[in-house]
Amino acid sequence: MRVCVVGSGGREHALADVLGRHHEVVVTPGNVGIPGSTPADPETVEADLYVIGPEAPLVDGLADRLRAAGRLVFGPGADGARLEGSKAWMKEVVSAAGVPTAAYESFTDLEPALGFLESLQPPYVVKTDGLAAGKGVLVTDSLDEARRGVADYLSGSAFGDAGRTVVIEEGLVGPELSVLAVCDGTRAVALAPAQDFKRIGEGDAGPNTGGMGAYSPVTIADDDVVADVIDRFVQPTLDELRRRGIDYRGVLYAGLMFTETGPRLIEFNVRFGDPETQVVLPRLRSDLGDLLARAAAGRLGGAPEFADDAVVTVVLAAEGYPVAPRTGDVIRGVDDARALEDVSVYCAGVAAGDDGVLVTAGGRVLNVCGRGVDVAAARAAAYRGVAAISWPGLVVRRDIAASA
Ligand code: AMP
Ligand code: GLY
């Protein structure tokens, strides 16, 4: 098959890499570090299967346009992508589906929002209704900070229109888990579970980011836990979408928190996680293209098989991320890292500088992946790779997967 991957980050590099084991792959627009990248508009690229990485084009209806042109597409239409495009709608759908999730209300006006906030216990959780690149979630023990957040979101000063509706939630506490399910409109199969590290700082300090690292497998998530996530979270949501006339073919990514009273849904994403994809897909034993093509055609087969080993990825970010990343710094050592045993490097925010050197061009720049017999070995490999790479102002968390 010829597969067209849409997107330009580390997730798309991993998708292209793993699809490339069995298929010809073109990535649009990709980036200078991803083989097979082309600036062409995906709607002009000929392929047997289209795999859409990021949420924005999904919310914007790219899958619908490709399907209308008779293409085979892995990724939900704009109707299903609203699960991620509007947190208030997502909450309404999962409540109707009976999925266990944090209590919430959504608001467009300041006074009632502050009134609800003050009725809650810390941690206070304030979210933009719309897309904010993983950064629109404020979790804080300070009522004052939460109040300011609500005011900044609603006024549009923090996240523009994405924040003019806010969702205020009950604050949950516990370990988190990402389960990515591949859906064919009716049925879902789980990929290997992963855990990601959302905060910029070590010890989970500082603001939320798109994700600073991840690992797979996850000890708290044995096969029974994953089966339970499909049965009580993913399948009821897929059924509820169907009742509403939505034929959901793509990844349904359940972000869960394991509280003292059981697992709760924190969010649904409508795409592969970034950087979870970078640790989950390399462990896949079977043909990824076949799996995604079957889902896209509404004909999923059995559950995919994963290797018994582990992968850890560490995100290398630019100074200033997640607020205002500095760009244009020369990146050194990528080839040295790749030459190390059990180390691979996926490219995210990179561009070509003078003489073809790689320079930083985004917040999250590289994903350094280590593979090993267990998480500790994979982690050691990943950090060996990290040590080989440098640029001025490089930001890295040293504690990715340390507690695993
Ligand atoms: P989201 O983008 O909705 O996944 O939120 C980003 C991060 O904020 C999550 O991974 C959690 O760490 C945290 N978070 C989101 N919702 C809650 C909640 N209701 N209670 C506690 N933490 C939350
Ligand atoms: N790693 C979190 C996300 O992809 O949203």
Side-chain angles (χ1 to χ4, degrees):
M1 253 187 332
R2 181 172 153 90
V3 186
C4 175
V5 174
V6 179
S8 64
R11 164 184 52 210
E12 286 73 28
H13 195 170
L15 279 163
D17 185 40
V18 176
L19 285 163
R21 293 175 186 170
H22 300 93
H23 306 280
E24 182 194 344
V25 182
V26 39
V27 187
T28 162
N31 67 53
V32 67
I34 307 179
S37 292
T38 164
D41 182 324
E43 291 175 74
T44 68
V45 172
E46 286 299 326
D48 306 300
L49 172 68
Y50 297 76
V51 179
I52 303 173
E55 60 277 18
L58 290 166
V59 170
D60 188 45
L62 177 60
D64 303 300
R65 294 195 297 278
L66 288 165
R67 285 192 180 105
R71 315 293 177 86
L72 185 63
V73 185
F74 183 79
D79 53 2
R82 231 183 129 199
L83 277 182
E84 186 167 352
S86 168
K87 286 193 194 277
W89 189 73
M90 180 276 278
K91 283 295 217 176
E92 193 260 305
V93 171
V94 303
S95 300
V99 169
T101 185
Y104 79 103
E105 284 194 36
S106 58
F107 300 91
T108 51
D109 294 316
L110 187 60
E111 286 310 317
L114 294 180
F116 182 63
L117 189 67
E118 281 154 22
S119 75
L120 299 175
Q121 305 293 317
Y124 303 99
V125 180
V126 180
K127 303 183 175 184
T128 60
D129 176 55
L131 294 182
K135 296 162 212 157
V137 177
L138 174 66
V139 182
T140 174
D141 286 331
S142 154
L143 183 58
D144 271 345
E145 194 186 350
R147 278 203 201 100
R148 273 197 305 278
V150 170
D152 292 347
Y153 283 25
L154 285 175
S155 72
S157 68
F159 293 100
D161 287 345
R164 290 189 196 273
T165 298
V166 295
V167 172
I168 299 178
E169 286 184 11
E170 168 197 9
L172 304 176
V173 180
E176 291 183 47
L177 183 73
S178 304
V179 176
L180 280 60
V182 171
C183 305
D184 72 353
T186 312
R187 297 195 319 123
V189 294
L191 301 179
Q195 198 165 57
D196 83 339
F197 293 76
K198 288 224 166 69
R199 303 258 182 168
I200 187 76
E202 281 161 24
D204 295 325
N208 272 314
T209 69
M212 292 300 290
Y215 67 95
S216 175
V218 182
T219 0
I220 57 167
D222 59 19
D223 291 350
D224 290 346
V225 168
V226 173
D228 180 58
V229 170
I230 297 293
D231 289 349
R232 290 199 303 136
F233 294 80
V234 175
Q235 193 62 51
T237 303
L238 208 51
D239 295 344
E240 177 63 25
L241 291 173
R242 254 205 120 62
R243 268 195 288 281
R244 296 174 186 224
I246 298 173
D247 185 14
Y248 192 98
R249 301 182 187 195
V251 170
L252 200 47
Y253 159 149
L256 302 150
M257 197 170 263
F258 285 76
T259 71
E260 277 180 354
T261 54
R264 297 278 182 282
L265 183 81
I266 295 180
E267 63 170 343
F268 269 130
N269 293 320
V270 299
R271 49 170 176 82
F272 286 102
D274 186 350
E276 288 92 332
T277 302
Q278 292 86 313
V279 295
V280 169
L281 292 188
R283 299 183 51 234
L284 187 64
R285 276 216 183 100
S286 41
D287 176 349
L288 177 64
D290 180 62
L291 175 70
L292 303 186
R294 281 171 179 277
R299 284 188 273 112
L300 263 180
E305 262 189 51
F306 286 86
D308 296 327
D309 62 356
V311 178
V312 171
T313 191
V314 177
V315 171
L316 304 187
E319 185 176 329
Y321 181 71
V323 180
R326 189 174 82 199
T327 59
D329 288 303
V330 173
I331 302 168
R332 300 194 193 283
V334 173
D335 291 339
D336 299 329
R338 284 188 171 139
L340 299 169
E341 203 171 333
D342 299 324
V343 176
S344 55
V345 179
Y346 293 130
C347 293
V350 301
D354 296 338
D355 304 328
V357 295
L358 221 49
V359 300
T360 62
R364 293 188 291 176
V365 177
L366 298 174
N367 311 136
V368 184
C369 302
R371 192 160 185 161
V373 288
D374 54 20
V375 171
R379 176 172 197 273
Y383 279 105
R384 277 199 301 278
V386 169
I389 298 175
S390 63
W391 67 80
L394 183 157
V395 172
V396 59
R397 276 183 65 165
R398 301 274 160 200
D399 63 345
I400 300 302
S403 54

